[in-house]
């Protein structure tokens, strides 16, 4: 029932900005955490930014700290990733991820299909 719909990816020059969005659709009781991951060609997927349901626990990978900002819109069940001062090294497929709880299923992890971000030199 849970589906993640991503948008905002594209092509941008180095130093530019992009804002990724992830809309969480479907029925669930509570979102425990939400995050963004990325995977470059030939590389492993890893966590870029993560935020807890209480907003008290926010984590960033060192490679994006100070440049990227993760946020949530609780009313619309939407996750955002504001990306500033983009570098060619940021080029990757970006994936939305959530951990959600429901009484019938317990805690489950869900993934979006990914959105391509390409940063030119």
């Amino acid at each position: 029932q849970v589906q993640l719909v991503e948008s905002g990816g594209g092509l941008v020059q180095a130093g530019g900005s992009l804002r990724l969005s992830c809309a969480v659709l479907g029925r669930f009781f509570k979102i425990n955490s939400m995050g963004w991951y990325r995977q470059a060609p030939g590389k492993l997927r890893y966590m870029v930014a993560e935020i807890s349901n209480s907003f008290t626990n926010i984590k960033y990978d060192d490679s994006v700290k100070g440049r990227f900002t993760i946020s949530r819109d609780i009313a619309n069940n939407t996750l955002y990733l504001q990306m500033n001062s983009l570098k060619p090294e940021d080029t990757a497929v970006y994936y939305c991820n959530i951990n959600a709880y429901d009484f019938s299923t317990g805690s489950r992890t869900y993934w979006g299909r990914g959105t391509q971000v390409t940063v030119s030199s």
Side-chain angles (χ1 to χ4, degrees):
Q1 289 183 317
V2 176
Q3 182 181 1
L4 308 183
V5 181
E6 300 165 329
S7 62
L11 175 65
V12 65
Q13 286 186 292
S17 299
L18 286 173
R19 190 191 194 196
L20 305 183
S21 299
C22 174
V24 183
L25 308 179
R27 182 177 295 181
F28 53 87
F29 178 75
K30 181 181 180 181
I31 295 177
N32 297 318
S33 63
M34 308 179 72
W36 289 95
Y37 290 67
R38 71 184 183 187
Q39 185 172 21
K43 304 292 184 179
L44 297 175
R45 187 181 303 183
Y46 67 95
M47 189 270 290
V48 173
E50 188 176 62
I51 185 170
S52 67
N53 186 54
S54 65
F55 293 168
T56 60
N57 188 13
I58 300 176
K59 300 178 181 178
Y60 294 98
D61 184 77
D62 288 340
S63 64
V64 306
K65 192 173 297 182
R67 299 187 297 118
F68 291 11
T69 302
I70 188 171
S71 61
R72 284 181 61 187
D73 185 334
I74 297 178
N76 294 317
N77 290 326
T78 303
L79 178 71
Y80 301 98
L81 184 67
Q82 179 66 47
M83 304 184 294
N84 298 326
S85 301
L86 283 164
K87 305 175 181 179
E89 303 91 274
D90 296 319
T91 297
V93 177
Y94 285 71
Y95 297 89
C96 180
N97 172 271
I98 70 166
N99 183 270
Y101 178 84
D102 187 77
F103 289 106
S104 63
T105 61
S107 296
R108 296 287 184 88
T109 298
Y110 302 90
W111 292 94
R113 292 185 176 183
T115 182
Q116 177 69 47
V117 172
T118 302
V119 184
S120 62
S121 300

